[in-house]
Amino acid sequence: MSYMNAADVVISMAGYNTVCELLTLGKRSIVVPRVRPVAEQRIRAERLAAFGAFRVVLPDQLAPPVLERIIEEELLLAKRRVPVSADIDLTALPRISAVLQREASRTVCDLAEAAVSEMRAPTGSEW
């Protein structure tokens, strides 16, 4: 990831890990997604590009003049320090952990109460 962090603009494919690194770094990026044999990278790239995460060039559009123009545009934005406009929340993990901890402790408490009720029940199982 250090090369990507040092770059003004990153050009890459749109694999899952690469896209996650680009989003984490907030780097100006141009992605060229694989479109065959499956459309997974294309779908990911186009959806995230709609949020402003990066620019997409499909393989059939890839030509030196096209890539040169997009690189120049992105370098100019990087030079002006225009931030990547992706409004994607990457802080879900701490929130998910908190929810799971809260729910797990509540579930354990509920089970403990049910177990105590079960032990006190004169006629056997109330579950």
Side-chain angles (χ1 to χ4, degrees):
M1 206 152 77
S2 61
Y3 290 115
M4 287 166 59
N5 198 26
D8 293 318
V9 176
V10 176
I11 302 170
S12 70
M13 294 184 75
Y16 179 80
N17 290 332
T18 302
V19 166
C20 287
E21 289 176 19
L22 293 172
L23 292 172
T24 300
L25 291 172
K27 285 291 183 178
R28 303 214 70 79
S29 308
I30 303 163
V31 297
V32 182
R34 179 177 289 136
V35 295
R36 290 179 204 81
V38 294
E40 167 218 346
Q41 286 193 13
R42 180 180 184 162
I43 293 166
R44 180 181 305 114
E46 288 176 342
R47 293 214 175 141
L48 288 168
F51 285 102
F54 39 68
R55 301 277 296 269
V56 175
V57 180
L58 296 176
D60 61 346
Q61 301 167 335
L62 192 59
V66 171
L67 191 56
E68 179 182 17
R69 178 182 51 78
I70 294 172
I71 290 171
E72 286 176 352
E73 290 170 1
E74 291 299 313
L75 283 171
L76 183 60
L77 292 170
K79 184 177 180 181
R80 292 180 181 164
R81 299 191 188 277
V82 175
V84 176
S85 63
D87 190 23
I88 299 171
D89 181 5
L90 299 176
T91 62
L93 186 57
R95 289 195 317 275
I96 291 169
S97 297
V99 167
L100 290 175
Q101 287 175 349
R102 185 176 64 244
E103 291 301 314
S105 65
R106 189 174 79 185
T107 303
V108 169
C109 291
D110 292 346
L111 290 174
E113 289 174 20
V116 169
S117 294
E118 175 68 16
M119 289 187 299
R120 291 184 178 160
T123 58
S125 180
E126 294 182 0
W127 289 8

